[in-house]
Amino acid sequence: MKPENGDAVEQSSEEQVPEEELEGEDLENFTKLTEYGIQKNVARELIKIYATEKLSHSELDERALDALKEYNPTDAIQVLKGFCDNNLEHVTNKSAFLCGQMKAFKNKKKDGAAAAQAKGPDPAKIKEILDRTGYTLDVTTGQRKYGGPPPESDGEQPGNGHEVFCGKIPREIFEDELIPLFEKCGKIWDMRLMMDPFTGLNRGYCFVTFCEREAATEAVKQLDGHEIRKGKSLKINISVANLRLFVGNIPKNKTSEEIKE
């Protein structure tokens, strides 16, 4: 039976994989991937990424492998190339990060948007900050978390009044610009910059927790209305804890007094 056009293209792309050139650990990993159900051309792209040491086979969990197995091979290769272009030095869970990239790519393709990701922060500035402070940077698809707790801390989380909300952040700005700004107000406990996985840009806001309550007050005083870009001013205020509790599936015959009990 004559194959459909899509099948013919897929078969052709798989035939282009020079399997015989692989040897040793590369061949072993390639075999593991294809036996798991990963298309040969996708497996080959993974082997190329392994060679860069940005990702190892042991860092891919079943969730990531299953997602790659079900993904269109052409799209999977494009996602993997974009994944490899990222600075993965501070990504602790690379499988989860890859899954986030695949989800973002699929949604962007569905919406007809461009697949390009933001460039990201200046690696040299990030290295200078981390070397100077001894803090860590943990990158996921949803946020970039700096610090928490500081290296010399006893681990006790700062209480109410230590955290500020920073809004109206220009989307192309990262922690390499924000950290030095907030450090002027006091010692930072941690900073959480919320990210948009679809674009690789920030969502326009972050949370900064200070070691001292006075530093949070100073941040509002100094930085609320601060013009970080021409015509772009930050909005800073002390974070207010959300004390609202949602309880679902309450029987209709229950009174408010019974629920309070």
Side-chain angles (χ1 to χ4, degrees), residues 92 146 174:
T92 53
Y146 164 77
F174 289 84

XYZ file of all heavy atoms in Angstrom, residues 92 146 174:
30
model
N 17.225 23.600 37.795
C 17.447 22.419 38.629
C 16.684 21.198 38.131
O 17.161 20.077 38.257
C 17.041 22.707 40.088
O 15.696 23.209 40.110
C 17.962 23.749 40.705
N 15.684 33.815 43.226
C 17.026 34.159 43.684
C 17.043 34.105 45.201
O 16.212 34.712 45.879
C 17.384 35.572 43.197
C 18.564 36.219 43.884
C 19.860 35.845 43.563
C 18.372 37.223 44.832
C 20.954 36.454 44.180
C 19.455 37.842 45.450
C 20.741 37.451 45.120
O 21.811 38.052 45.731
N 15.201 41.375 33.746
C 15.424 40.180 34.553
C 16.085 40.573 35.873
O 16.334 41.744 36.147
C 16.293 39.177 33.790
C 15.579 38.526 32.627
C 15.525 39.150 31.392
C 14.960 37.300 32.782
C 14.865 38.560 30.321
C 14.297 36.699 31.725
C 14.250 37.318 30.496
